[in-house]
Amino acid sequence: MTETPTSEAPPEQHAPTSFIDRFFEITKRGSSVGAEVRGGLVTFVTMAYIVILNPIILSGSPDVAGDVLAFQQVAAVTGLTAGVMTILFGVVARLPFAFAAGLGINSYLAVAVVGEVTWPEAMGLVLINGLIIVLLAATGLRRLIFNAVPMQLKLAITVGIGLFIAFIGFVDAGFVTATGFNSPPVQLGAAGSIATVPSLIFVLTLLLTGVLVARKVRGGILIGLVSGTVVAVIVEAIWHLGSGAENPGGWGLGVPTLPASWFSWPDLSLVGQVSFGSFERIGALAALGLIFTLVFTNFFDAMGTMTGLSKEAELADAKGDFPRLRSALIVEGVGAVAGGFTSSSSNTVFIESGAGIGEGARTGLANLVTGALFLLAMFVTPLTSIVPSEVASAALVVVGAMMMSQIRFIEFDAFSVMLPVFVTITVMPFTYSIANGIGAGFVTWVVLRSLSGKAKEISPLLWIVAAGFVLYFARGPIEALFGG
């Protein structure tokens, strides 16, 4: 992507005036300090739920020894790790991609891993997974795999992530709910209608934000978020809806009320609570199988997310590469190491960063804002729960629509391209996994293109990765076979 200033633009617009401007290339990327600050703030607001949700997931599952992680301790290390990694990525990679505990991996740990090992041993596996990813990135192998992906699939990944983001928003807002039946598996709201006040506030926030963005109002997403939150706080003060866990018509993640206490001291005693005893407890083969799953999920979730975000930020070139790609891939691996070391689970790039990008963020300066707010969140955990998920979800849907626009660059002339692209885009939201969508797309691409006479155009690395995904998708029967 050529970043040379055009001759038509006034020279003063392309003359960095400070060290911060030159270091982050703010002017060069067509941004401003104000846009970066707003973008960083919006990203934090859309991600703040992780400080509450990650402890809910990790502290709710006892390990094989019957031990559990304390909620407040997990909340503290969640904010700490997200803050440090977001700032580190912003300074090193200088991109507006914020970090936090990955939802796919923390759920996998809580549901599947700690039934076999202890929590410290599970975090040891996460740490090893991170070291492997760092090694792959440092040796250049991760970038080679990244470059082996055809541009059509990279665009499909961006579009798929857009739909995935929107689906997350619809579900978190209660706009789409599970029916509990095989068919149809999902429905609109409650019993097919918008029957709750929180879901109605989601709709109003979405429409307000959409109008502001459509009219190109500066700070439109942030204004929408703040306005929706104010309305939510007023509504809760009047009707006392409470939590959805206690009242079917209540709020999802976080009840929008002003907290009685604004500050709390963080308990960081989980830092360093890591063990590598899983190899002895369950055997080397089983432990390696768990690590393999972690690496695949971490590796391709992050690759897909960064591809989509870089395209949305208009920082990717014609091949899909973006500035400081190698540094970004290395730091992303460090996020897994840090997450394991702090027991907050693997930290990775968050797709919600697209909300900040939609607000104008283009550089790592936005990450400094987001990271600082995550560190502050350790001390003001009650404050992070004011913004309800119904309001934050509206921003995710808007960003999903923005990312969906990349579909116009995909060429659908050949069906051997159309089907892999379609599979990539649809499998992500339908299986609630970026990695699943990428893997299904890779396998379909290799099979269709090779059997359509295009085998020579497929990179050998893509063949290897597709074969790896076949093993990844069949890991359940394979683990059962070896386990038996």
Side-chain angles (χ1 to χ4, degrees):
M1 182 176 178
T2 303
E3 297 180 308
T4 304
T6 57
S7 57
E8 292 82 0
E12 62 271 19
Q13 292 183 358
H14 298 270
T17 57
S18 67
F19 170 77
I20 292 179
D21 194 338
R22 293 191 300 272
F23 183 81
F24 289 108
E25 301 180 337
I26 298 173
T27 302
K28 188 176 182 180
R29 296 185 186 178
S31 185
S32 66
V33 172
E36 297 301 310
V37 172
R38 289 196 308 273
L41 178 58
V42 166
T43 294
F44 173 76
V45 170
T46 58
M47 289 177 60
Y49 70 88
I50 195 63
V51 180
I52 305 298
L53 182 56
N54 195 46
I56 291 176
I57 293 173
L58 296 185
S59 65
S61 298
D63 61 21
V64 69
D67 297 325
V68 295
L69 300 179
F71 185 97
Q72 291 298 331
Q73 292 177 342
V74 177
V77 294
T78 297
L80 171 67
T81 314
V84 171
M85 287 309 309
T86 297
I87 292 173
L88 178 64
F89 190 84
V91 172
V92 176
R94 302 176 197 176
L95 295 166
F97 306 166
F99 275 59
L103 289 177
I105 287 183
N106 62 7
S107 299
Y108 175 65
L109 291 174
V111 173
V113 178
V114 295
E116 302 181 46
V117 300
T118 66
W119 273 112
E121 290 166 351
M123 293 305 169
L125 295 175
V126 172
L127 195 153
I128 294 173
N129 145 69
L131 291 175
I132 292 173
I133 293 177
V134 170
L135 180 63
L136 291 173
T139 58
L141 182 57
R142 192 175 188 185
R143 179 165 186 169
L144 288 175
I145 295 174
F146 182 88
N147 292 336
V149 179
M151 191 60 204
Q152 302 293 348
L153 284 183
K154 288 181 179 177
L155 291 170
I157 290 170
T158 303
V159 176
I161 290 175
L163 290 181
F164 184 39
I165 290 176
F167 190 51
I168 290 174
F170 285 130
V171 171
D172 288 351
F175 190 82
V176 173
T177 60
T179 63
F181 301 101
N182 291 331
S183 181
V186 294
Q187 64 183 351
L188 173 68
S193 65
I194 305 301
T196 68
V197 174
S199 292
L200 177 60
I201 289 179
F202 158 76
V203 173
L204 295 176
T205 305
L206 175 62
L207 293 176
L208 172 61
T209 306
V211 169
L212 294 172
V213 172
R215 295 182 65 87
K216 295 180 170 54
V217 174
R218 180 172 295 181
I221 296 178
L222 180 59
I223 293 173
L225 287 170
V226 173
S227 301
T229 300
V230 170
V231 172
V233 170
I234 294 174
V235 166
E236 176 59 24
I238 296 174
W239 281 296
H240 305 290
L241 300 175
S243 171
E246 302 170 354
N247 173 20
W251 304 92
L253 295 172
V255 178
T257 57
L258 298 179
S261 174
W262 296 83
F263 298 94
S264 61
W265 289 103
D267 182 349
L268 302 177
S269 56
L270 286 178
V271 176
Q273 297 298 312
V274 179
S275 170
F276 301 103
S278 57
F279 289 86
E280 181 179 352
R281 182 184 299 275
I282 61 176
L285 186 62
L288 288 173
L290 294 176
I291 293 173
F292 175 83
T293 301
L294 290 170
V295 169
F296 251 69
T297 303
N298 221 144
F299 188 110
F300 289 101
D301 263 18
M303 189 191 80
T305 301
M306 287 193 282
T307 297
L309 293 177
S310 62
K311 290 293 294 182
E312 179 61 24
E314 299 180 344
L315 296 175
D317 60 20
K319 296 180 180 180
D321 293 341
F322 50 86
R324 301 182 182 275
L325 174 57
R326 184 175 181 180
S327 298
L329 296 176
I330 291 175
V331 176
E332 196 281 325
V334 173
V337 176
F341 184 73
T342 60
S343 294
S344 63
S345 181
S346 176
N347 273 234
T348 186
V349 176
F350 252 54
I351 51 180
E352 283 85 346
S353 303
I357 291 173
E359 193 58 54
R362 293 294 181 272
T363 79
L365 180 59
N367 268 34
L368 268 62
V369 176
T370 305
L373 290 172
F374 266 121
L375 294 178
L376 180 63
M378 291 192 300
F379 299 91
V380 291
T381 301
L383 187 61
T384 61
S385 62
I386 292 180
V387 181
S389 60
E390 289 82 1
V391 171
S393 295
L396 299 185
V397 175
V398 170
V399 172
M402 292 176 175
M403 298 183 73
M404 179 72 183
S405 67
Q406 294 294 324
I407 199 170
R408 69 187 186 276
F409 299 116
I410 301 177
E411 299 175 4
F412 291 106
D413 297 340
F415 191 76
S416 61
V417 171
M418 183 185 299
L419 184 59
V421 164
F422 177 76
V423 168
T424 302
I425 292 173
T426 55
V427 169
M428 281 189 198
F430 290 165
T431 66
Y432 228 64
S433 168
I434 295 174
N436 286 348
I438 293 174
F442 283 8
V443 173
T444 309
W445 179 278
V446 167
V447 173
L448 263 68
R449 297 294 285 177
S450 61
L451 296 181
S452 300
K454 305 291 184 180
K456 293 182 179 180
E457 299 178 4
I458 303 174
S459 166
L461 272 177
L462 196 60
W463 280 94
I464 295 173
V465 172
F469 266 114
V470 171
L471 295 175
Y472 173 76
F473 290 137
R475 66 190 184 278
I478 292 174
E479 290 172 357
L481 178 64
F482 283 100

